[in-house]
Amino acid sequence: MTFCRRIPPIYEPILSRVERPGRYVGGEVNAVVKDPAGLRASMLLAFPDLYDLGMSYHGFRILYERINAHPDFASERVFTPWPDYADALREAGLPLTSLETFRPLRDFEIIGFTLQHELCYTNVLEMLDLGGVPLKAGERSDSDPVVLGGGEGAYAPEPMAEFFDAFLLGDGEEAVLDILEAVASAREAGLSRLDLLRRLAGVEGVYVPSLYEAEYEQDGRIRRVSPIDPAAPEKVRSRVYDISEGRDALRPVVPLIRTVQDRTVVEIRRGCVHGCRFCHAGMTNRPIRERPVEQVVETVREALKNTGDRAVSLLSLSAGDYTQIQPLLARLNEEFASERISVSLPSLRISTFDVALARQISTVRKSGFTFAPEAGSERLRRIINKPLDEGDFLDVIEAVLKAGWRTIKFYFMIGLPGETDEDLMGIVRLTERALERAKAIGSRNVGVNITLSPFVPKPHTPFQWEGQITLAEIRRRMGLVRDSLPRKGVEVKTSPLESSFLEGVFARGDRRLSRAIETAWRNGCRFDAWRETFRFGGWLDAFRECGLDPEWYACRPRPDDEVFPHDHLVSGTGRRFLERQRDLARQAEVTHECVEGPCPGCEACGKPKAHRLAKEVAEMRGPDGTPPASERDQTPVMRVRLRFTKSDALRFIAHLDLVEAILRLIRRSGAPVAHTQGFNPLPRVALSPPLPLGVEGRGELADVLLLERIDPGEWLERLRSLSAPAGLEWIGVEEVGLKAPSLQQSIGEYGYEIVWSRRGEGGEASVLPLGFDSLRGTVQEFLAALEWPIHIDRKGKTQDRDARAYVTSMEAIESEEGLGLRLRVKSDNGMTLGPFVILAGLFGEDLSRGVHLSVCRLPVEA
């Protein structure tokens, strides 16, 4: 398949019949498209889950922008297709492609997978298979891509070692460019695949599993994993990058459809030293590295300008630990609150929570507060190294409720080492005391949402020696808590137990599990993190077929001298520190954080401590405390009507996603848009009624209410100067009276042009599904009829309509392109019939959809 900047026509029939086709079409704002012919190497960033989730992953944004800034390299994106699209690709014999150039996976030099958790493993195989890449590393030729893994899963990669050529441990900002250079130079030198892998093994932080051999004891335990090639180091140490030395993502790609986290994200702090003994991220992400305040503010300013976002999230494992958090929030609110930009901190520790901080992050809109006590008793919290004074915690809850919040969220883990039923009842008591505090201060309608998650022993943590409790015991303990909690004001959610068990199997697993992963995938397992697609029975069958006992991997406590499959991969802390913390946990002794306190003896820094704190990197600007947000009068003084097209990739996104794309562009233009009042202020922008998926719009409308008078022509030129999604073009503007009818009220009819093309899927000549005489005869019959009953199925219910009453004109047309119809359809205050409904009523379902059909709405008149 050759380089292409547009959706290949052969894919369009598939896109028109799958769920949310906007996942697969690309064309987003800030997407970078480079001609592969002019590059030394390209890396395809592959996220083994849906576009809806992957586009919110901040690591993708950073690496995508960093690679594409290099003149010799390019980065593109691909995500796991939902089963409907994957099945359609296989049925049509088409490969999975990137979103930028629509090249199949097999055409890239490197495919870089993000392994965020153990439940994405079958999706990796699914993507490789759909992309035409051999599943196993040992089966790939010199011309096949290098398959690279990164993220949390790279720290314990042995279960996936059969399928990956290499893994990157740690931070990727600098490492990805080193890897691209290594691969590009190896290919330019004509090296064999083995020599290329040897070159990769020399890159700091890169582990090449084929250059190592795993040996086992007679009882099945690991004896050692050791190098079998001189190019492979005995130990591979994780890569560490100082975020204060480089910029965050300034031009993140703006999704065409709604995603999990639709906002600007700026990482303010990387690393954590609180030392929670269950936490993989806190143990492997050391030392602390913070961005200076002015760098954060400048990044937010630039990213908002380039995306049109209306929300900002300050990213950190514990954002409240950022040493300049109060002054930073003061600066952000000072600059952006008047623009209705909200700021949130997705992760706050109870020990660093401050109510004044809460007021600052709710300047524009309030949401619930989430706290993670993790355990129900202080004894157990000391074991996990997360001490919490319950009195202080309840004071925090009281202060939050007095400040106006009405929803509190608690997270607890079930099955922690040393846990008893008495600890579980502590969850109940803590919840009851929180509700009592709310009642005592007169807070009404307070809701406490509790999430219970099974404990999973993670690698590179002090609890990697612990066994996971059995599924039966997890069910008993969760049932005890759920049945004991108050019914009123409390909502309980539980994580899927079988999924957590599967995480436990792979978290400390070895290479023998690769067979089970492949078997489960071949038996249909995929999207294992999704309740609706998870097939636990399929996994149990796979383990049986491969002669493996999943409980041996998940539930077996490890002896103190156990050799782990990942011991040759060194994280920031080192094994000796983990052993000391394991022993301290058994004594319920606490180790305090080391930013301000003494060094606890991990190997992340050496001597002296190497934390990089914002207050030390740059001088703070601005006052402590929060400036009040500007409460501007929202009475509009002007109404402007914009006209735009919806074609190319935009044809395949839903109306609400189109609305968001338009709002982003309007925000980026700097126009003084009026907002609604109340809890969640929204911009006062209205679009012409929705188009069906796949239909082009040649002149859609958007009405915008403004707080100041502007020159419409100048604003139009400003909008045209901004990078827009593929298929969106601004084609006109006019002022409309403030008291004029709404768009829905003023649109009396719609015009459509429908064509059955003379060209087939690949552009070749094709036989049309009907002739012109037949088409014209049907049109004449329809126009002569007094009524034309049709049936519409909507959400399982059948509605009867008279199509003739809606259609005001219709004519058959013929051209070199094909045969078609031109018709106009009435709209009565939004009530109308769509083009596909009318076509089905005239010609039946077979001719109302399909390969040859294209439909566009003519410019809307209002």
Side-chain angles (χ1 to χ4, degrees):
M1 189 172 294
T2 58
F3 166 63
C4 176
R5 290 178 184 271
R6 297 177 64 86
I7 303 166
I10 197 170
Y11 283 80
E12 292 201 12
I14 297 175
L15 292 169
S16 66
R17 64 175 187 265
V18 299
E19 179 185 350
R20 304 199 81 185
R23 293 165 171 160
Y24 315 113
V25 298
E28 308 100 324
V29 170
N30 297 332
V32 179
V33 181
K34 294 184 179 183
D35 187 342
L39 301 168
R40 295 179 62 209
S42 296
M43 179 181 288
L44 182 61
L45 296 176
F47 193 87
D49 212 314
L50 282 182
Y51 176 99
D52 318 36
L53 272 70
M55 282 299 291
S56 299
Y57 176 55
H58 192 57
F60 249 38
R61 301 176 181 182
I62 295 171
L63 297 183
Y64 183 83
E65 195 166 313
R66 196 170 184 88
I67 295 170
N68 280 318
H70 196 290
D72 294 336
F73 304 135
S75 175
E76 301 189 27
R77 297 161 298 134
V78 68
F79 303 86
T80 309
W82 195 245
D84 61 345
Y85 190 56
D87 293 344
L89 289 176
R90 287 193 172 98
E91 183 180 341
L94 295 173
L96 179 65
T97 67
S98 71
L99 295 180
E100 279 74 11
T101 60
F102 299 101
R103 290 184 291 158
L105 276 66
R106 61 175 175 263
D107 287 356
F108 286 81
E109 286 75 29
I110 305 172
I111 304 173
F113 281 95
T114 295
L115 303 175
Q116 281 196 301
H117 52 73
E118 297 84 358
L119 300 180
C120 68
Y121 290 167
T122 53
N123 282 4
V124 171
L125 304 194
E126 177 80 345
M127 295 172 75
L128 291 175
D129 183 65
L130 287 169
V133 180
L135 290 187
K136 294 187 177 180
E139 298 172 354
R140 295 180 193 132
S141 68
D142 290 353
S143 61
D144 283 316
V146 170
V147 179
L148 175 72
E152 182 176 319
Y155 284 95
E158 292 300 286
M160 292 292 283
E162 293 285 331
F163 313 113
F164 279 84
D165 296 298
F167 294 92
L168 171 63
L169 276 69
D171 300 332
E173 284 91 340
E174 295 173 333
V176 288
L177 297 178
D178 293 344
I179 291 168
L180 278 160
E181 177 60 38
V183 171
S185 61
R187 294 205 166 189
E188 290 161 356
L191 298 185
S192 68
R193 191 173 189 86
L194 175 58
D195 286 335
L196 183 155
L197 294 176
R198 286 170 173 157
R199 183 167 290 191
L200 275 179
V203 176
E204 181 188 356
V206 173
Y207 167 54
V208 179
S210 62
L211 304 184
Y212 294 76
E213 182 179 62
E215 300 176 55
Y216 300 91
E217 304 286 1
Q218 287 189 347
D219 61 2
R221 294 188 295 158
I222 288 282
R223 177 178 298 160
R224 69 177 67 89
V225 178
S226 53
I228 55 174
D229 191 287
E234 286 281 343
K235 303 278 187 182
V236 179
R237 292 190 173 273
S238 61
R239 195 80 173 250
V240 178
Y241 174 72
D242 184 354
I243 64 172
S244 70
E245 295 180 355
R247 68 180 191 178
D248 209 329
L250 301 180
R251 301 183 65 86
V253 177
V254 180
L256 284 182
I257 64 174
R258 284 164 292 166
T259 57
V260 174
Q261 292 184 349
D262 194 6
R263 63 194 63 190
T264 285
V265 177
V266 179
E267 186 180 21
I268 60 174
R269 175 181 167 114
R270 185 174 295 180
C272 180
V273 289
H274 284 285
C276 299
R277 291 171 178 140
F278 56 83
C279 181
H280 176 273
M283 291 293 165
T284 57
N285 281 284
R286 297 183 178 207
I288 298 297
R289 291 140 287 161
E290 294 184 342
R291 291 190 193 280
V293 169
E294 289 303 324
Q295 190 185 99
V296 174
V297 174
E298 177 57 33
T299 301
V300 171
R301 184 185 301 122
E302 191 70 15
L304 290 176
K305 182 180 73 174
N306 292 328
T307 62
D309 283 331
R310 62 193 187 103
V312 175
S313 181
L314 303 179
L315 180 63
S316 171
L317 289 173
S318 177
D321 289 334
Y322 178 70
T323 54
Q324 297 294 299
I325 189 64
Q326 293 277 7
L328 171 61
L329 289 172
R331 287 279 287 112
L332 293 174
N333 280 322
E334 177 185 20
E335 183 163 344
F336 302 112
S338 63
E339 301 175 27
R340 302 280 171 163
I341 303 296
S342 66
V343 179
S344 64
L345 306 179
S347 176
L348 285 170
R349 287 180 64 90
I350 300 167
S351 59
T352 58
F353 181 85
D354 186 281
V355 177
L357 182 75
R359 292 195 182 101
Q360 286 180 318
I361 65 175
S362 66
T363 301
V364 175
R365 59 178 66 89
K366 289 183 177 178
S367 57
F369 259 109
T370 300
F371 299 104
E374 309 293 2
S377 72
E378 182 62 13
R379 182 194 68 85
L380 191 53
R381 289 192 289 267
R382 291 180 65 85
I383 289 176
I384 67 175
N385 206 49
K386 197 169 183 179
L388 169 68
D389 182 275
E390 286 193 11
D392 292 344
F393 177 49
L394 292 169
D395 290 343
V396 168
I397 298 298
E398 180 177 325
V400 166
L401 296 175
K402 286 181 177 178
W405 278 267
R406 289 293 174 267
T407 301
I408 305 295
K409 301 176 184 178
F410 293 160
Y411 279 85
F412 295 97
M413 278 191 284
I414 303 297
L416 287 163
E419 181 181 79
T420 66
D421 285 0
E422 180 61 24
D423 299 312
L424 298 175
M425 296 311 296
I427 297 174
V428 177
R429 287 191 293 271
L430 189 60
T431 304
E432 290 172 340
R433 293 182 69 186
L435 291 172
E436 289 169 2
R437 280 289 183 102
K439 184 178 179 181
I441 63 174
S443 292
R444 298 181 179 180
N445 301 319
V446 171
V448 178
N449 296 343
I450 296 177
T451 298
L452 305 175
S453 299
F455 162 70
V456 177
K458 290 290 186 178
H460 301 282
T461 71
F463 286 164
Q464 65 180 353
W465 285 270
E466 302 294 333
Q468 187 175 22
I469 62 175
T470 64
L471 281 171
E473 180 61 13
I474 293 175
R475 292 190 185 98
R476 186 195 72 80
R477 296 189 191 187
M478 285 202 171
L480 175 64
V481 175
R482 187 189 300 107
D483 294 343
S484 302
L485 283 165
R487 296 288 184 267
K488 186 177 180 181
V490 178
E491 180 180 346
V492 182
K493 297 179 181 178
T494 58
S495 300
L497 310 187
E498 293 83 2
S499 298
S500 298
F501 173 72
L502 202 61
E503 286 183 58
V505 171
F506 293 117
R508 298 165 295 171
D510 54 50
R511 295 188 181 190
R512 293 170 293 189
L513 289 168
S514 294
R515 289 180 292 133
I517 293 169
E518 183 178 354
T519 302
W521 170 73
R522 293 194 184 280
N523 291 344
C525 292
R526 64 188 84 165
F527 284 101
D528 298 305
W530 294 72
R531 290 177 187 265
E532 60 265 47
T533 51
F534 181 57
R535 297 176 58 242
F536 187 51
W539 276 102
L540 294 180
D541 291 343
F543 289 127
R544 276 193 294 269
E545 286 182 46
C546 297
L548 297 171
D549 178 6
E551 285 200 357
W552 186 84
Y553 284 99
C555 303
R556 178 177 65 90
R558 273 54 168 178
D560 289 356
D561 61 352
E562 176 101 358
V563 176
F564 289 98
H566 51 265
D567 272 351
H568 58 300
L569 308 176
V570 183
S571 66
T573 55
R575 174 161 173 145
R576 284 180 299 176
F577 175 77
L578 300 179
E579 290 173 338
R580 287 198 299 272
Q581 289 297 308
R582 175 198 65 200
D583 296 340
L584 290 173
R586 293 168 179 171
Q587 301 166 38
E589 290 191 15
V590 170
T591 299
H592 296 286
E593 59 88 17
C594 61
V595 171
E596 302 293 342
C599 173
C602 85
E603 299 172 11
C605 300
K607 305 287 185 180
K609 291 182 292 184
H611 303 307
R612 294 275 287 174
L613 306 180
K615 64 184 179 182
E616 298 169 357
V617 174
E619 288 295 321
M620 236 306 294
R621 172 195 178 277
D624 285 325
T626 308
S630 173
E631 295 297 334
R632 188 174 183 181
D633 181 16
Q634 293 297 311
T635 304
V637 300
M638 187 179 188
R639 180 177 171 189
V640 174
R641 179 164 293 165
L642 295 162
R643 187 176 291 275
F644 62 94
T645 64
K646 184 190 180 192
S647 62
D648 197 32
L650 283 190
R651 290 176 295 150
F652 297 103
I653 70 171
H655 184 68
L656 289 176
D657 297 319
L658 174 66
V659 171
E660 182 56 31
I662 296 293
L663 291 178
R664 288 176 180 275
L665 287 165
I666 290 173
R667 285 194 290 270
R668 289 170 61 199
S669 74
V673 179
H675 284 69
T676 61
Q677 301 287 348
F679 181 78
N680 188 11
L682 298 173
R684 298 183 65 179
V685 178
L687 270 62
S688 44
L691 281 166
L693 279 178
V695 174
E696 177 184 350
R698 294 183 180 171
E700 301 299 293
L701 300 177
D703 277 8
V704 185
L705 292 173
L706 301 172
L707 298 174
E708 301 171 12
R709 293 199 62 80
I710 63 171
D711 183 307
E714 290 180 1
W715 187 32
L716 179 63
E717 291 307 311
R718 168 64 179 152
L719 287 166
R720 285 173 172 170
S721 72
L722 300 174
S723 172
L728 194 154
E729 180 182 353
W730 301 104
I731 58 177
V733 67
E734 63 177 321
E735 183 176 358
V736 180
L738 284 169
K739 295 185 178 181
S742 68
L743 272 179
Q744 183 165 292
Q745 293 171 331
S746 57
I747 297 173
E749 64 179 20
Y750 299 102
Y752 295 96
E753 190 170 279
I754 300 164
V755 174
W756 286 274
S757 175
R758 298 184 190 276
R759 296 289 172 183
E761 296 182 11
E764 74 282 358
S766 176
V767 177
L768 288 171
L770 74 172
F772 183 69
D773 290 340
S774 173
L775 176 65
R776 184 167 55 187
T778 301
V779 170
Q780 290 172 347
E781 180 186 357
F782 178 81
L783 294 175
L786 295 178
E787 60 180 24
W788 197 281
I790 60 173
H791 307 291
I792 305 172
D793 290 326
R794 287 181 177 165
K795 297 181 179 180
K797 295 182 180 180
T798 300
Q799 300 176 358
D800 296 326
R801 292 285 188 272
D802 178 9
R804 187 65 190 85
Y806 282 90
V807 177
T808 60
S809 67
M810 181 185 293
E811 62 174 320
I813 55 177
E814 183 176 20
S815 65
E816 291 185 1
E817 186 180 349
L819 303 180
L821 295 174
R822 192 174 288 121
L823 67 155
R824 299 199 70 82
V825 183
K826 285 197 305 186
S827 175
D828 182 8
N829 201 26
M831 288 290 293
T832 187
L833 288 182
F836 294 123
V837 171
I838 295 172
L839 285 177
L842 266 67
F843 303 106
E845 287 293 336
D846 289 344
L847 292 187
S848 69
R849 302 273 181 177
V851 171
H852 305 276
L853 185 67
S854 65
V855 181
C856 77
R857 186 155 75 185
L858 301 175
V860 176
E861 300 297 334

